[in-house]
Amino acid sequence: MTLARLYLAISAVAAALSFSAPAVAHPHVWVTMTTEVVYAPDGTVTGIRHAWAFDDMFSAFATQGYESKVKGQFTREELEPLAKVNVESLKEYDYFTYVTADGKKVKLKDPAPGYYLDWKDAVLTLHFTLPVEQPIKAQELRVDVYDPSIFVDFEFAKKDPVRLVGAPAHCKMDVVLPREMTFAEGKALSMIPADQPNVSMAIGAEFANKILVHCP
């Protein structure tokens, strides 16, 4: 199930419960991620490699209707069609990944072959790599991950959230976590009906997870 289909499913559930429960606030999907910035031997950045672990509710919705040899378990091969559909649907959202090099926007290509979903402890994790359109060298590289509409909430894993793979030894990295949402912002988001998209508060960039790489 894609994010768009999940949104419709959640909206239907919310509508069914609307007479007995308050509307569900944004976000609706939670992702715990690890990210790697991948370098070539010549010191150029070649891509961004993500592993996104979805929350158990999304994982349950996404696997509805999928058959498996072992009940409650899925192999990578069984999840291949779902991985393809979800990776293709992420293109509409720019893969929620935004990169700049020395202040200039870096274009990313569609995920490289070899992406996959795995299943562990009732959680789906999507593994994929976004190659840069042209390998780049940069003194200051920045990678932001966020959903502008805050439908999806991203957070870095607690342990080893970011790695530089093959980077020159002199490169240094910082991870910047999103700021806390104010009470007013949270209240405003909670007022958006669960069966409607958030188009009035597209402020996700203010809550971006940031990777800053300095290579002097």
Side-chain angles (χ1 to χ4, degrees), residues 132-145:
V132 298
E133 190 171 69
Q134 296 291 336
I136 52 170
K137 279 191 176 181
Q139 290 186 329
E140 304 293 339
L141 184 80
R142 173 171 166 169
V143 182
D144 288 14
V145 182

Side-chain angles (χ1 to χ4, degrees), residues 193-210:
D195 60 347
Q196 294 181 17
N198 170 19
V199 295
S200 61
M201 292 187 66
I203 58 174
E206 297 183 24
F207 304 97
N209 297 268
K210 301 180 180 67

